[in-house]
Amino acid sequence: MVGRRDGSLMREKGQSFCGSRVTVAIAMGILLCCVSVLELLYPNGLFSSDPPPWLQKFWRTDRQTDSSSCKSQERANALKQGQDNAPKQFPVLGQQHKAGPFGTVKGLRTNPTVLPDESVNPRLAKLLKEIAIGKELIVALANSKVKDMLEVWFTSIRKVGIPNYLVVALDDEIAEFCKLNEVPMYKRDPDQGIDSIGKTGGSIAVSGLKFRILREFLQMGYSVLLSDVDIVYLQNPFDHIYRDSDVESMTDGHDNQTAYGYDDVFDDPVMGWSRHIYTVRIWVYNSGFFYIRPTIPSIELLDRVAGRLSEKPYLWDQAVFNEELFFPSHPGYEGLHAAKRTMDYYLFMNSKVLFKEVRKDDAKLSQLKPVIIHVNYHPDKLPRMKAIVDFYVNGKKDALQPFPDGT
C-alpha cells in the first residue's frame, strides 16, 4: 500500500514537472514573439525620447516643443560634442610620454604661446616693438574721469624705473594729457561701441572694455600686465612674476586661507549623520591687476568674458572673469582649460591688507616692501594713493594713520 502510494506520487510529480516544462517553453515563446514585435514597433528603443515611426503621425505636436525634452536633447548633444572634441585635443598637447616612478610625475603647467599675427593691428604692432621688453609690458585703460589717479600711477612707475608701460587713451583729453607728460600712449582707431563707453562710461563699464582691447596684444604675441590706475608701484613687478601660467593674478584675499584656498565646512542639520559637507573656497582674483600670457586659453578667456559682458553689460566684469576661470565643466557647459597662479598677497597687496592689518603691525610695516598696492577696497582712492606714496617713497611715517580701516 505504502509502496503503491509512493509510486503514484512519483508519477504525479513527474507529470507535474513535465507540465511545468511545457508551460515554461510556451511562455518563453510568447516572450520572444513580444520582443520581436517591440523591436519592429520601437527601432530606437523602448525608452527612447523619439516616438516610433508608426506612431509619429499620431504624436501630439506640443510634444515636439516640450521644453524638458528640448533641454534633454541639448544636454545630450552637448555631452556628445564634448566627448567628440576631447580626443581631438590630445594631439595638440604634444608627444605622449610614459609615467615616471611614484612621486616624480608632474603635469604640463605652461601652455605654448600663439604664433604672433601683427596683421591684426599694424599700427599697434609698430608701437609695441618700441615699448615692450621681452615681449611684455604694463597696460592701463584710462579716460578723463581718472586723470588725477593716472598721474599718480605713471609717476610711481617712473620712480621705480619701469620703461615698458602703455596707456590706452579712451578719449582725446587723456591722449593729450599723456602727450604733454611724455607718457607712452595708444589711441584706438574709431570704434563707435568702444568709443562711447570709453568716453562716458563709469568705472565698471570701462573696466569691461579691457577684455576686448587686450585681445589684439595677445594675438600679436605680447604678454600683458593689465593694471587699473588706482595702483601705486613700489618695485618692478616683472621681477616677481613666475610666467608659468596662462593667468597670474593678484587676489582680493587678506590671509593665506582666503588668498590661496581653504576647506570650509557647510552644516546641514537636517541630514543628521551626514550634516557636515566639506567645500573648497577661495577669494576672487582681482580683474584690475593680472598678468596674462599670449596663449589659446588666455585668448579664449578674453573672448568669453567680453562676449558675456556685451550680452549683459550690467554684469560685473570681475565676477564674470572669475566664473570663467574657475567654474568646472559640467552638463551643458565646457569649462576653460587655463592654468592659474595666485600672486603673493604681501607683494601684490590690496588696500584691505594694508589698512586693516599691515599698518597696525610695526614689524610687518617696517619689513614688508610691496611690489604694488592696489586701492581696490576703498572709494577714497586718490588721497589713499598719495598717502601710500608719502609713506613708502617720501618717508612720511604717519601718512597712513588718518584713514579708517574701511570706508
Side-chain angles (χ1 to χ4, degrees):
M1 295 287 292
V2 174
R4 282 195 299 272
R5 282 197 301 271
D6 291 345
S8 63
L9 182 61
M10 290 296 291
R11 284 194 298 273
E12 291 174 0
K13 288 184 177 180
Q15 293 170 356
S16 175
F17 178 70
C18 291
S20 298
R21 292 176 61 186
V22 171
T23 302
V24 170
I26 293 172
M28 289 294 293
I30 294 172
L31 180 61
L32 290 174
C33 290
C34 292
V35 171
S36 298
V37 172
L38 288 174
E39 287 181 346
L40 290 173
L41 295 177
Y42 296 91
N44 295 326
L46 183 60
F47 299 102
S48 171
S49 60
D50 297 326
W54 64 273
L55 191 58
Q56 287 180 359
K57 63 181 178 180
F58 303 108
W59 200 253
R60 286 169 44 206
T61 55
D62 60 344
R63 176 68 173 88
Q64 297 173 1
T65 58
D66 179 72
S67 60
S68 61
S69 175
C70 292
K71 290 179 181 178
S72 298
Q73 188 61 40
E74 288 174 1
R75 287 195 293 269
N77 292 338
L79 177 60
K80 185 178 186 304
Q81 184 179 3
Q83 291 171 337
D84 292 342
N85 287 339
K88 297 177 183 178
Q89 295 179 15
F90 293 147
V92 181
L93 299 178
Q95 184 180 358
Q96 290 180 302
H97 300 278
K98 291 183 178 180
F102 177 81
T104 65
V105 177
K106 291 186 177 180
L108 295 176
R109 285 169 169 77
T110 308
N111 284 312
T113 56
V114 298
L115 290 174
D117 181 9
E118 295 184 354
S119 66
V120 298
N121 192 332
R123 184 166 65 89
L124 178 59
K126 181 180 179 181
L127 179 61
L128 294 181
K129 287 179 180 179
E130 300 172 357
I131 296 174
I133 297 177
K135 299 281 285 189
E136 58 186 11
L137 73 161
I138 300 170
V139 175
L141 278 64
N143 61 17
S144 55
K145 293 183 178 181
V146 296
K147 185 170 70 172
D148 292 337
M149 285 192 292
L150 178 66
E151 185 173 12
V152 178
W153 179 85
F154 68 68
T155 300
S156 69
I157 286 178
R158 285 174 168 173
K159 186 75 173 179
V160 174
I162 304 171
N164 49 332
Y165 70 99
L166 178 70
V167 174
V168 177
L170 299 177
D171 57 32
D172 294 334
E173 184 177 346
I174 285 296
E176 187 63 28
F177 179 69
C178 289
K179 289 179 182 178
L180 291 174
N181 289 275
E182 298 182 344
V183 173
M185 179 274 300
Y186 168 71
K187 195 170 187 302
R188 292 173 52 87
D189 293 331
D191 184 313
Q192 185 175 359
I194 291 181
D195 286 350
S196 60
I197 297 174
K199 293 177 180 178
T200 62
S203 59
I204 293 180
V206 170
S207 183
L209 287 179
K210 58 180 169 251
F211 299 99
R212 291 178 59 184
I213 293 175
L214 287 182
R215 194 187 203 279
E216 291 183 348
F217 289 79
L218 269 59
Q219 279 185 276
M220 291 187 287
Y222 289 87
S223 297
V224 174
L225 182 57
L226 188 281
S227 174
D228 281 353
V229 296
D230 57 343
I231 292 175
V232 175
Y233 286 74
L234 302 171
Q235 297 186 61
N236 191 329
F238 294 112
D239 295 336
H240 301 272
I241 291 175
Y242 286 79
R243 301 174 178 84
D244 64 347
S245 303
D246 298 298
V247 177
E248 201 166 333
S249 178
M250 73 170 294
T251 174
D252 275 359
H254 61 92
D255 56 22
N256 286 344
Q257 287 186 314
T258 57
Y260 310 137
Y262 62 103
D263 187 29
D264 185 52
V265 180
F266 176 80
D267 187 11
D268 188 4
V270 175
M271 292 301 295
W273 175 79
S274 59
R275 64 184 290 176
H276 297 117
I277 308 299
Y278 287 80
T279 69
V280 176
R281 301 186 64 183
I282 185 172
W283 284 27
V284 295
Y285 282 179
N286 191 287
S287 63
F289 189 87
F290 59 87
Y291 179 83
I292 185 166
R293 296 176 59 248
T295 66
I296 292 298
S298 296
I299 295 174
E300 183 182 0
L301 170 65
L302 298 181
D303 288 351
R304 287 185 178 211
V305 178
R308 286 181 60 186
L309 292 176
S310 64
E311 293 175 0
K312 299 179 180 179
Y314 54 84
L315 294 176
W316 185 26
D317 69 282
Q318 181 161 292
V320 176
F321 176 69
N322 279 271
E323 288 171 2
E324 294 298 337
L325 269 176
F326 287 99
F327 279 3
S329 298
H330 56 263
Y333 175 79
E334 184 176 349
L336 181 73
H337 301 282
K340 304 170 286 290
R341 172 179 282 274
T342 306
M343 292 176 170
D344 186 324
Y345 67 92
Y346 278 136
L347 293 180
F348 299 91
M349 189 181 295
N350 62 60
S351 56
K352 178 177 182 177
V353 174
L354 176 63
F355 286 98
K356 190 177 179 182
E357 177 197 345
V358 172
R359 69 165 175 169
K360 299 178 182 179
D361 188 325
D362 291 336
K364 283 184 179 179
L365 195 59
S366 60
Q367 295 174 4
L368 286 175
K369 179 67 178 298
V371 176
I372 61 103
I373 297 176
H374 190 176
V375 187
N376 60 315
Y377 269 100
H378 300 88
D380 52 339
K381 298 179 180 296
L382 185 59
R384 289 185 188 250
M385 290 178 70
K386 291 180 177 179
I388 291 169
V389 172
D390 281 341
F391 180 83
Y392 284 100
V393 179
N394 301 328
K396 189 176 179 181
K397 299 302 182 183
D398 60 347
L400 302 177
Q401 300 311 315
F403 299 92
D405 291 354
T407 57

